[in-house]
Amino acid sequence: MAVLLPTGMPFSWVAPADIAAVAASLLLRADWSGRRVQAVRGPRDLSWDDALAVVGHVLGRTVTAHRVADDDMRATLAGAGMSPAQVEAIMGMSTGLREGFVPELPRTPLTTTDTTLGAWAWAELRPALDLTG
């Protein structure tokens, strides 16, 4: 898998359903209005090496990461049909992490969600790839 970050650098991974649950719980509050920053992180930070070991276990195959140059990743994303704005949004997430981005809110019990990458992969990825057997 082509990645922009050093493959051993840990960062937050969070299940989309956990993001949705946190957002819904805030938006549905009768007393909510305006703007609120709420960090959402999975149970632990994982590097690409860690994450792909988990995914590889779920898929029953070896999956590894290798770093690529920024321009190579831009070309790959554009070649997949992404607009220039989408490409730059994805690039910004990775390059920001690589260049020392510090989250506005630290990891706390409030910002930490329950779903592990392994649980997500078994529930969402494996069935999507028809590996249920």
Side-chain angles (χ1 to χ4, degrees):
M1 176 170 215
V3 300
L4 295 171
L5 297 174
T7 64
M9 178 184 155
F11 58 99
S12 294
W13 292 76
V14 62
D18 288 351
I19 297 169
V22 169
S25 72
L26 295 172
L27 293 171
L28 293 173
R29 290 179 55 160
D31 62 345
W32 181 84
S33 68
R35 178 183 181 271
R36 176 174 175 169
V37 174
Q38 174 63 58
V40 184
R41 296 179 177 87
R44 69 184 184 102
D45 293 351
L46 301 168
S47 69
W48 275 111
D49 292 334
D50 299 331
L52 293 179
V54 170
V55 169
H57 173 74
V58 170
L59 299 180
R61 60 184 77 154
T62 300
V63 184
T64 59
H66 65 279
R67 285 189 73 182
V68 296
D70 291 3
D71 287 341
D72 291 341
M73 182 62 79
R74 279 185 180 91
T76 298
L77 296 172
M82 292 186 179
S83 71
Q86 291 169 320
V87 168
E88 289 311 312
I90 291 172
M91 293 296 297
M93 287 186 286
S94 290
T95 58
L97 288 170
R98 186 182 66 205
E99 295 167 4
F101 167 79
V102 177
E104 184 173 344
L105 299 173
R107 178 181 288 281
T108 67
L110 178 64
T111 66
T112 302
T113 59
D114 293 330
T115 306
T116 65
L117 179 60
W120 172 84
W122 277 98
E124 302 293 333
L125 183 59
R126 190 176 173 89
L129 297 176
D130 197 25
L131 299 172
T132 56

